[in-house]
Amino acid sequence: MGKGGALPEDRHEDRVALASASPAAVTRLAASWRRSMLKHGLDPARAPQIQAMTTRELAERRERLDGFLTVARPQLDQLFQLVCPTGCNVLLTDASGIVLEQRVNDADAETFREWGLWNGTDWSEQAEGTNGIGTCLAEGRQVTIHRDEHFYARNTGLSCMDAPIWGPDGRLIGALDVSSARSDHTERWNALIGAQVAQSARQIEAAFFRASFPGARILSAQTDGIEALVAVDKDDLAIGANRAARRAFGLEKEGVLRPRPASDLFGRDDEVTGFERAERAAVIRALARAEGNVSAAARALGVGRATLYRRMQRLGISENPGRLSRG
């Protein structure tokens, strides 16, 4: 017997079962293990049955998210170029944990196919217990599940770095994952990859938000280090807001945004917000390019002349860009 009566070599499945036994799980990892065991009825010692969709089922899933995938693919390619030299697998899933897109080197493909990290497979917590994709989606946050932090003993050779992706309606739309089966990838190395995954996820979110409001002006500001985006139509109504903006302005948590005057979001006239500064800069640039011609500037901004005059008055902008205040 080892010190304190412990077995010389504790089995992974025993450690998971012990940590899952207490209703007062003290860490997020233990809470996820407990969820996997009690809520989903999984056994950490049993090899999971890889659940994969048929080609037709996968095609239907992709078709439902075609607009999102079109926007996301260039970012997936870019992320893969950054991590492919390290033998990683890049995956994009839907909100239920089904892998819709994958980027992997030919030399590493068979390894990840054997792990089940492949197009059409289900990596929800319900199917695989604690894992990067499933736990990220279950908790709606960025996670790294490093090797023996996985629920199933079979998956302890993997490290998975994940970030959630939120749709323009404020709802979870999927997860971005980079998985590694290399034993020489340390937790510090995985943290670097995880930071890149989070950045790429935010870029996909922002690109999809902009694509979802093609005729609107998109105003942007930083809130708690996250980009808050608001879509404003030609009548100066806020018609869309991403998750960060919804939280910052106390808007509907999710679903279709009720249109309201953009000025109602941006504060009183004597308060200059990040959104107002961005809007003011856009108007000034348009006027400068039009050499002070308000009609030409309005056309460039896609708004009416009267609308632009009202906006200029609210923002304190002169018609002549040469006399514009830089304050």
Side-chain angles (χ1 to χ4, degrees):
M1 299 289 284
K3 291 182 179 179
L7 293 173
E9 294 184 4
D10 292 332
R11 296 192 311 163
H12 173 76
E13 48 267 44
D14 294 335
R15 188 164 62 92
V16 171
L18 181 61
S20 303
S22 171
V26 296
T27 67
R28 281 178 162 174
L29 178 63
S32 176
W33 283 350
R34 181 175 174 81
R35 214 165 40 235
S36 303
M37 180 173 285
L38 299 184
K39 181 179 179 180
H40 301 310
L42 304 179
D43 180 353
R46 180 180 59 81
Q49 299 297 313
I50 297 174
Q51 301 178 29
M53 297 193 131
T54 65
T55 301
R56 180 176 179 178
E57 289 172 334
L58 178 58
E60 290 174 350
R61 289 254 179 168
R62 285 172 170 165
E63 185 176 0
R64 288 198 292 269
L65 291 175
D66 182 64
F68 169 66
L69 295 177
T70 298
V71 168
R73 283 172 182 133
Q75 293 295 336
L76 295 180
D77 294 338
Q78 189 175 80
L79 177 60
F80 178 61
Q81 290 303 313
L82 291 173
V83 302
C84 69
T86 66
C88 290
N89 189 20
V90 175
L91 304 172
L92 180 67
T93 79
D94 63 12
S96 61
I98 302 297
V99 178
L100 301 180
E101 290 281 332
Q102 177 182 36
R103 304 289 185 273
V104 64
N105 280 324
D106 290 342
D108 301 312
E110 190 56 34
T111 297
F112 288 107
R113 188 190 292 273
E114 290 176 358
W115 283 105
L117 284 163
W118 207 255
N119 282 323
T121 54
D122 182 356
W123 278 82
S124 63
E125 264 196 355
Q126 184 175 356
E128 292 284 341
T130 303
N131 73 89
I133 292 170
T135 303
C136 169
L137 292 170
E139 300 183 357
R141 66 181 181 91
Q142 180 185 355
V143 301
T144 293
I145 303 298
H146 182 68
R147 300 179 71 79
D148 64 359
E149 292 177 338
H150 283 83
F151 179 79
Y152 277 125
R154 175 188 181 275
N155 292 335
T156 56
L158 294 170
S159 291
C160 304
M161 289 64 70
D162 287 77
I165 300 176
W166 302 91
D169 58 1
R171 297 187 176 103
L172 195 60
I173 195 170
L176 180 62
D177 169 89
V178 170
S179 293
S180 169
R182 290 181 54 162
S183 60
D184 59 344
H185 276 193
T186 64
E187 291 187 60
R188 179 174 296 183
W189 179 254
N190 288 339
L192 294 175
I193 296 178
Q196 185 59 56
V197 170
Q199 181 179 338
S200 297
R202 299 294 78 77
Q203 289 171 341
I204 292 172
E205 273 184 17
F208 187 46
F209 183 86
R210 289 182 166 87
S212 299
F213 299 96
R217 291 178 299 113
I218 307 298
L219 303 184
S220 169
Q222 291 291 317
T223 172
D224 296 327
I226 301 175
E227 188 176 29
L229 300 173
V230 173
V232 180
D233 70 6
K234 59 183 178 59
D235 297 317
D236 267 349
L237 294 178
I239 57 173
N242 70 351
R243 185 169 182 262
R246 288 169 185 257
R247 296 173 68 177
F249 290 109
L251 305 175
E252 294 93 330
K253 184 178 179 180
E254 58 184 38
V256 177
L257 190 72
R258 177 180 60 81
R260 66 256 286 164
S263 57
D264 288 358
L265 301 183
F266 302 154
R268 303 191 305 271
D269 291 341
D270 59 344
E271 292 181 337
V272 180
T273 68
F275 285 109
E276 287 175 318
R277 285 192 292 270
E279 184 180 19
R280 191 172 192 275
V283 172
I284 289 174
R285 287 195 296 270
L287 285 167
R289 289 173 183 140
E291 298 181 353
N293 186 310
V294 176
S295 296
R299 286 194 297 273
L301 291 169
V303 300
R305 189 168 182 270
T307 298
L308 182 55
Y309 265 122
R310 290 196 300 272
R311 191 171 300 162
M312 290 167 58
Q313 184 177 13
R314 174 168 57 83
L315 296 171
I317 298 175
S318 165
E319 290 185 40
N320 185 345
R323 298 199 303 269
L324 292 176
S325 168
R326 295 183 180 274

